[in-house]
Amino acid sequence: MDFDYNSTRSKLILAEYGRNVQNMVDYICTLPTKEERNRYAQTVIDMMGVLNPHLRDVSDFKHKLWDHLHIISDFKIDVDSPYPIPSRDAIHKKPDLLDYPQHTIRYKHYGHTVERMIEKALSTSAPENRERMALSIANFMKMAYMTWNKDTVQDEHIIQNLAELSNGQLTLPADTVLTKLDFKTPPPGSRTKSGATTNNNNNQKNNQKSSGKKNMVKKKNGPKKVSYRR
């Protein structure tokens, strides 16, 4: 007894359309006249649009469906398409390789940006500007060091690394006190949310206070007891 399993069937070219669409497209390719192929192809295009309603939000909806029809037929279907027939090379074109930065970083915990900052400082001709830039770079280096190394670091260590990276051209006095920079910015939208939450909490507190005052007034101004004397 023979069983028909998906593992023994031919591979689906576009699995999102299913086996039935694949079989119908294969059948259209076997039709003898072009009129019949065009009529059946239009029916299959309409069915493909129903099976994938999310494509209706895509620009050139019909154009994409006709391209998928040619892809499903392995570019063997011969019909009058209202759009240019895509080429096999354009569909299966491999993406270009990404160019990754190939920088040899001496101290990776400082990053390549610090080396570029040092180059910019060395290109500055004014000595006063170079000293200020050296101090700013050292403060940034301390922040970067503390980001990747949670232990404390001595300022002398940062100053020594700055001198090494600049080949002794950017030097700071040994008694220089570096500031610790913390670039911890809140995520986008957190200020608005926190502000809205604070306002809502304040409004709730004010409403509770006002309702409490009203209840107290009602208790004080409640009906008085009437005593009848005989």
Side-chain angles (χ1 to χ4, degrees):
M1 187 174 182
D2 296 332
F3 294 96
D4 187 14
Y5 295 104
N6 285 330
S7 58
T8 60
R9 297 176 180 178
S10 59
K11 183 180 180 181
L12 291 176
I13 299 177
L14 292 179
E16 58 267 25
Y17 292 104
R19 177 71 59 181
N20 292 329
V21 173
Q22 180 76 54
N23 294 335
M24 286 188 288
V25 173
D26 294 339
Y27 174 74
I28 294 173
C29 295
T30 62
L31 294 176
T33 62
K34 201 169 190 177
E35 295 179 358
E36 290 180 320
R37 291 195 296 268
N38 290 336
R39 187 171 66 254
Y40 282 100
Q42 185 61 51
T43 303
V44 172
I45 287 292
D46 297 337
M47 185 178 298
M48 292 166 62
V50 174
L51 292 175
N52 293 271
H54 63 278
L55 292 178
R56 298 183 184 274
D57 300 332
V58 180
S59 59
D60 298 335
F61 168 63
K62 288 291 184 179
H63 192 179
K64 184 175 290 293
L65 290 179
W66 279 97
D67 290 346
H68 288 177
L69 178 66
H70 288 282
I71 295 172
I72 292 174
S73 66
D74 198 17
F75 301 94
K76 297 177 182 178
I77 191 170
D78 184 15
V79 292
D80 295 330
S81 175
Y83 303 98
I85 300 175
S87 62
R88 188 187 299 269
D89 297 335
I91 295 297
H92 301 287
K93 183 181 179 181
K94 294 183 179 180
D96 298 333
L97 296 177
L98 295 176
D99 294 333
Y100 290 94
Q102 302 293 334
H103 301 299
T104 303
I105 305 175
R106 187 170 182 180
Y107 296 108
K108 293 185 179 181
H109 52 275
Y110 294 134
H112 183 66
T113 304
V114 170
E115 297 181 359
R116 295 183 60 185
M117 293 167 64
I118 292 174
E119 293 176 358
K120 184 66 176 180
L122 295 177
S123 62
T124 304
S125 58
E128 296 180 357
N129 294 338
R130 182 182 294 184
E131 292 179 0
R132 287 197 294 267
M133 292 179 69
L135 181 59
S136 300
I137 294 172
N139 290 328
F140 182 82
M141 290 172 62
K142 183 176 181 179
M143 184 272 299
Y145 189 99
M146 296 296 295
T147 300
W148 296 102
N149 301 277
K150 299 304 180 182
D151 299 334
T152 59
V153 58
Q154 300 295 328
D155 294 343
E156 293 81 1
H157 180 73
I158 301 296
I159 295 171
Q160 181 181 358
N161 290 342
L162 176 62
E164 293 176 359
L165 291 174
S166 63
N167 295 325
Q169 300 185 43
L170 295 179
T171 58
L172 294 174
D175 57 348
T176 302
V177 178
L178 302 178
T179 58
K180 181 180 178 182
L181 303 178
D182 292 328
F183 292 99
K184 295 182 179 179
T185 58
S190 61
R191 294 183 178 179
T192 304
K193 293 180 181 179
S194 62
T197 304
T198 303
N199 293 331
N200 293 333
N201 293 335
N202 293 333
N203 293 333
Q204 292 178 359
K205 291 180 180 179
N206 293 332
N207 293 333
Q208 291 176 358
K209 290 181 180 179
S210 60
S211 61
K213 290 181 180 179
K214 290 180 181 179
N215 294 332
M216 292 294 292
V217 172
K218 289 181 180 179
K219 290 181 180 179
K220 291 181 180 180
N221 298 331
K224 297 181 179 180
K225 295 181 179 180
V226 179
S227 60
Y228 297 94
R229 295 181 180 178
R230 292 180 180 179

